[in-house]
Structures are given as structure tokens and as C-alpha cells.
Amino acid sequence: MPSSPCPAGATRNPFTSVETPAVGVSIEKLTKNFGPLKVLKDVTFSVEPGEIFVLMGPSGSGKSVLLKHIVGLELPTSGRVMLDGKDASSEETREHVRMALVFQSGALFNSLSVYDNLALYPREHQVADEAGIREKVMHALQILSLDGTEQKSPSDLSGGMKKRVAIARALVMEPQLMLYDEPTSELDPVTSATISEIIATLKEEYHVTTIVVSHDRQLAFGIADRVGILMDGELISLGPPADLKTSKDPRVAEFLNPKIDLKNPRFKHLETKP
Ligand code: ADP
Ligand code: MG
């Protein structure tokens, strides 16, 4: 990785070292309904250029749907998402802002080698000749400490290595904006910590604006500049991680430190009969 610091307000391309202005994201009164289901309710926040923003919240609260609006896979019912000051739903904006989403599942092709998974996008978009693509792919694998895996199938790798391959594949897109959906789910705590470190390092080295959807508290408190909490489609909390611990909102405290109450009717089926 490059050793000279990337200036504030710029994103450095990991492969060419060319610096471009860092990109900000602005979510403005975003509402999304699927038929009668109200999934996002008037959500407003912005992510500063070069920031790591972690969006937390229980399952089903609308986190993945929100990410899909940023990459243009879903369109708002009302409100809008702006990337670098331009509407995210337009084709032109998506061509102008280079972004990469690391899917929760990894979305890797097991029928292709690790190398071919990484080469897929640059080949499709003819970003370079095969020698140029090879250089990018090998460099991305090196950044993620995956040297030697290029001929393997993703199915032969551990969960943590698969996640690193998915991140390397995103990096090959030379993103100014990296989005991660639950990057540490299904990983053990040590591997989760490694993935969190990688996310933070990519941001430090390249100043890639980073949005992470996660309910991993270690990750949020470890690497986030700011955290938002989404609950039932509403943003109930927004601020630096330290502020969460002192939040007066009981929903925030309950989310961060859930109490198990065996008298709760939810656990009725566990009661033993005399
Ligand atoms: P999470 O916070 O766990 O990522 P999601 O954003 O995936 O939650 O989903 C929020 C809600 O929206 C869920 O109730 C989910 O079933 C619903 N949902 C997501 N995508 C669709 C869709 N394409 N059509 C209908 N309902 C959807
Ligand atoms: Mg999700």
C-alpha cells in the first residue's frame, strides 16, 4: 500500500495512485414502500467524503434496501439519494461515481477461479488489455493478502478469505465509494476483527468513502466515524459511536444491550410444565 498520506478531500486510486475528489452521499427524506409495506420512512442523513459511516439496526429494519437505493438497484417512493451532488437514480451519475457494493453473500462465482472472479468486471468493461487486467487483479489480491489463491475456487476458501476475495473484487472497480452489506456476519470474532481492520485500512490508505451496514457492535465502535441506527425504517439515532453509549433513547440502549426476559410471552413455549 502507498506510504505517503492521501490528502483530505481526495480519494486515491489503489492501482494508478491518481487522486480524485472524494465523493459524499446525501440521503434526503427517503421513503420506500413495497405495496402496503412501509420499509423506509423519511430517512435523512449524509455521509461525508472520506468518512466511514456504519448503519446499524435489527434484521428487517430496511438497511439492505437503503444500500440498494445508493447503488441504484431500487428507486425511492419519495425523496432522493444524491451522490456527489447528483441524483443516484440517473445512469449518468452511476457512470460518473465509481462505486462497489460488497454483497452480504459475497456473490462470488464458484464455477470461476478467484482470478476470473476479479477479472470479470474489468474484462466486461474493457478497462485494460489482459496484461493490464492481470496487473490490477494481482495487486488487489496482494492488498488483501490473498497471494497464491488465484487459481482456487471460492468454494475452497474459508469464510474470511471469501469475504476478502469479495472485497478485492470490489477494489478492482477502483471505487470512490465502497458499500458493505453485513461484512462480518457468519464470521468468528477474530476473523470479523480482521475484516473490520481491512475496511478501516482501505479508507485510511485511499480515502474511499465507506458505508457499512452491520449489526456488529465491535465493528461499529472500532472503525466508524459516525453511526446511524435504523429501526422499523426510521433513523432513530445519528452521531459518533461514543454518543450512542450515552443516548437517552431507550430503543438505542435496548438495541445495544438487549435484555433477555424469560417472562416475555415470546418465550412461553420454553416454560417447563410441572
Ligand atoms: P435488513 O435491515 O435486514 O437488511 P431489508 O432492507 O433487507 O432488511 O428489508 C426490510 C424489509 O423490506 C423486510 O421486511 C423485507 O422483507 C422487505 N423487502 C426487501 N426487499 C423487498 C422487495 N423487493 N419486495 C418486497 N419487500 C421487500
Ligand atoms: Mg440486510
Side-chain angles (χ1 to χ4, degrees):
M1 291 197 188
S3 48
S4 63
C6 183
T11 300
R12 185 189 346 241
N13 185 305
F15 307 103
T16 61
S17 290
V18 169
E19 284 159 14
T20 47
V23 161
V25 180
S26 164
I27 315 284
E28 300 173 1
K29 293 178 161 294
L30 180 62
T31 292
K32 178 67 175 180
N33 304 335
F34 289 112
L37 187 67
K38 293 178 170 27
V39 175
L40 296 172
K41 303 170 189 165
D42 208 19
V43 175
T44 297
F45 65 90
S46 46
V47 179
E48 300 304 319
E51 180 182 35
I52 297 190
F53 187 92
V54 178
L55 186 66
M56 302 183 84
S59 295
S61 55
K63 305 181 297 296
S64 295
V65 169
L66 198 149
L67 275 190
K68 285 181 185 158
H69 281 82
I70 298 173
V71 294
L73 288 172
E74 291 287 358
L75 293 176
T77 302
S78 64
R80 58 183 192 171
V81 176
M82 306 293 277
L83 301 176
D84 200 21
K86 298 175 194 73
D87 202 306
S89 60
S90 93
E91 186 79 14
E92 199 189 335
T93 307
R94 291 204 300 279
E95 275 167 19
H96 167 76
V97 177
R98 286 191 314 275
M99 55 189 150
L101 170 58
V102 179
F103 287 95
Q104 181 165 6
S105 62
L108 298 168
F109 296 103
N110 287 329
S111 58
L112 300 179
S113 66
V114 166
Y115 182 95
D116 287 334
N117 267 281
L118 267 66
L120 205 59
Y121 172 89
R123 280 175 181 154
E124 240 174 51
H125 293 261
Q126 300 176 334
V127 300
D129 60 13
E130 199 54 37
I133 291 173
R134 181 166 188 85
E135 205 173 302
K136 279 189 212 297
V137 168
M138 299 311 282
H139 188 192
L141 289 174
Q142 192 199 344
I143 290 172
L144 273 300
S145 309
L146 287 163
D147 318 61
T149 62
E150 52 270 24
Q151 293 317 321
K152 294 200 162 117
S153 157
S155 58
D156 294 336
L157 302 177
S158 67
M161 284 173 98
K162 272 187 217 160
K163 221 37 125 185
R164 271 152 50 207
V165 173
I167 296 172
R169 190 179 58 175
L171 204 61
V172 167
M173 296 182 190
E174 308 182 1
Q176 297 162 289
L177 172 61
M178 287 277 275
L179 307 149
Y180 300 84
D181 197 351
E182 306 278 8
T184 61
S185 64
E186 297 154 37
L187 298 180
D188 64 80
V190 174
T191 311
S192 295
T194 308
I195 297 295
S196 301
E197 268 170 41
I198 288 169
I199 295 171
T201 306
L202 292 179
K203 181 259 184 170
E204 283 301 314
E205 294 284 342
Y206 307 117
H207 282 195
V208 186
T209 308
T210 301
I211 303 179
V212 189
V213 155
S214 178
H215 46 240
D216 181 341
R217 282 180 293 164
Q218 298 289 101
L219 177 147
F221 287 105
I223 68 170
D225 293 310
R226 284 183 311 141
V227 176
I229 298 184
L230 202 59
M231 205 165 278
D232 293 332
E234 275 178 70
L235 193 71
I236 62 160
S237 166
L238 180 67
D243 289 4
L244 284 181
K245 291 184 174 157
T246 55
S247 170
K248 301 238 175 351
D249 188 329
R251 294 172 299 176
V252 173
E254 165 66 18
F255 173 68
L256 293 176
N257 292 300
K259 305 250 181 328
I260 296 174
D261 172 12
L262 290 175
K263 296 209 173 67
N264 187 313
R266 266 192 293 167
F267 300 117
K268 193 134 189 73
H269 62 288
L270 294 176
E271 269 173 27
T272 48
K273 298 212 164 56

mmCIF file of all heavy atoms in Angstrom, residues 60 63-65 104 181-182 213, ligand 2:
data_model
loop_
_atom_site.group_PDB
_atom_site.id
_atom_site.type_symbol
_atom_site.label_atom_id
_atom_site.label_comp_id
_atom_site.label_asym_id
_atom_site.label_seq_id
_atom_site.Cartn_x
_atom_site.Cartn_y
_atom_site.Cartn_z
ATOM 1 N N GLY A 60 -34.416 -6.757 9.176
ATOM 2 C CA GLY A 60 -35.698 -6.331 8.616
ATOM 3 C C GLY A 60 -35.970 -4.847 8.787
ATOM 4 O O GLY A 60 -37.053 -4.371 8.442
ATOM 5 N N LYS A 63 -32.076 -1.871 6.152
ATOM 6 C CA LYS A 63 -30.684 -1.481 5.871
ATOM 7 C C LYS A 63 -30.266 -1.850 4.436
ATOM 8 O O LYS A 63 -29.697 -1.026 3.726
ATOM 9 C CB LYS A 63 -29.732 -2.151 6.884
ATOM 10 C CG LYS A 63 -30.088 -1.884 8.332
ATOM 11 C CD LYS A 63 -29.122 -2.535 9.289
ATOM 12 C CE LYS A 63 -29.059 -4.047 9.239
ATOM 13 N NZ LYS A 63 -30.314 -4.742 9.621
ATOM 14 N N SER A 64 -30.547 -3.077 4.047
ATOM 15 C CA SER A 64 -30.121 -3.504 2.702
ATOM 16 C C SER A 64 -30.891 -2.742 1.629
ATOM 17 O O SER A 64 -30.324 -2.379 0.590
ATOM 18 C CB SER A 64 -30.335 -5.009 2.519
ATOM 19 O OG SER A 64 -29.505 -5.728 3.400
ATOM 20 N N VAL A 65 -32.167 -2.486 1.891
ATOM 21 C CA VAL A 65 -32.975 -1.722 0.922
ATOM 22 C C VAL A 65 -32.373 -0.324 0.753
ATOM 23 O O VAL A 65 -32.253 0.186 -0.366
ATOM 24 C CB VAL A 65 -34.458 -1.662 1.381
ATOM 25 C CG1 VAL A 65 -35.242 -0.654 0.555
ATOM 26 C CG2 VAL A 65 -35.099 -3.049 1.279
ATOM 27 N N GLN A 104 -23.685 -9.168 1.015
ATOM 28 C CA GLN A 104 -23.635 -9.996 2.226
ATOM 29 C C GLN A 104 -23.172 -11.412 1.887
ATOM 30 O O GLN A 104 -22.360 -12.003 2.579
ATOM 31 C CB GLN A 104 -25.026 -10.024 2.859
ATOM 32 C CG GLN A 104 -25.067 -10.837 4.141
ATOM 33 C CD GLN A 104 -26.333 -10.566 4.939
ATOM 34 O OE1 GLN A 104 -27.232 -9.859 4.485
ATOM 35 N NE2 GLN A 104 -26.401 -11.112 6.117
ATOM 36 N N ASP A 181 -22.392 -4.788 2.816
ATOM 37 C CA ASP A 181 -23.609 -5.267 3.487
ATOM 38 C C ASP A 181 -23.228 -6.418 4.414
ATOM 39 O O ASP A 181 -22.842 -7.490 3.945
ATOM 40 C CB ASP A 181 -24.647 -5.718 2.449
ATOM 41 C CG ASP A 181 -26.042 -5.815 3.058
ATOM 42 O OD1 ASP A 181 -26.171 -5.703 4.294
ATOM 43 O OD2 ASP A 181 -27.008 -6.005 2.289
ATOM 44 N N GLU A 182 -23.313 -6.186 5.711
ATOM 45 C CA GLU A 182 -23.014 -7.187 6.745
ATOM 46 C C GLU A 182 -21.697 -7.929 6.468
ATOM 47 O O GLU A 182 -21.689 -9.149 6.322
ATOM 48 C CB GLU A 182 -24.150 -8.225 6.833
ATOM 49 C CG GLU A 182 -25.525 -7.649 7.049
ATOM 50 C CD GLU A 182 -25.838 -7.321 8.493
ATOM 51 O OE1 GLU A 182 -24.907 -7.400 9.330
ATOM 52 O OE2 GLU A 182 -26.989 -6.963 8.779
ATOM 53 N N VAL A 213 -23.134 -1.529 6.385
ATOM 54 C CA VAL A 213 -24.353 -1.961 7.068
ATOM 55 C C VAL A 213 -23.968 -3.158 7.931
ATOM 56 O O VAL A 213 -23.375 -4.107 7.431
ATOM 57 C CB VAL A 213 -25.434 -2.356 6.036
ATOM 58 C CG1 VAL A 213 -26.423 -3.332 6.647
ATOM 59 C CG2 VAL A 213 -26.156 -1.130 5.524
HETATM 60 MG MG MG B 2 -29.822 -6.892 5.115
#
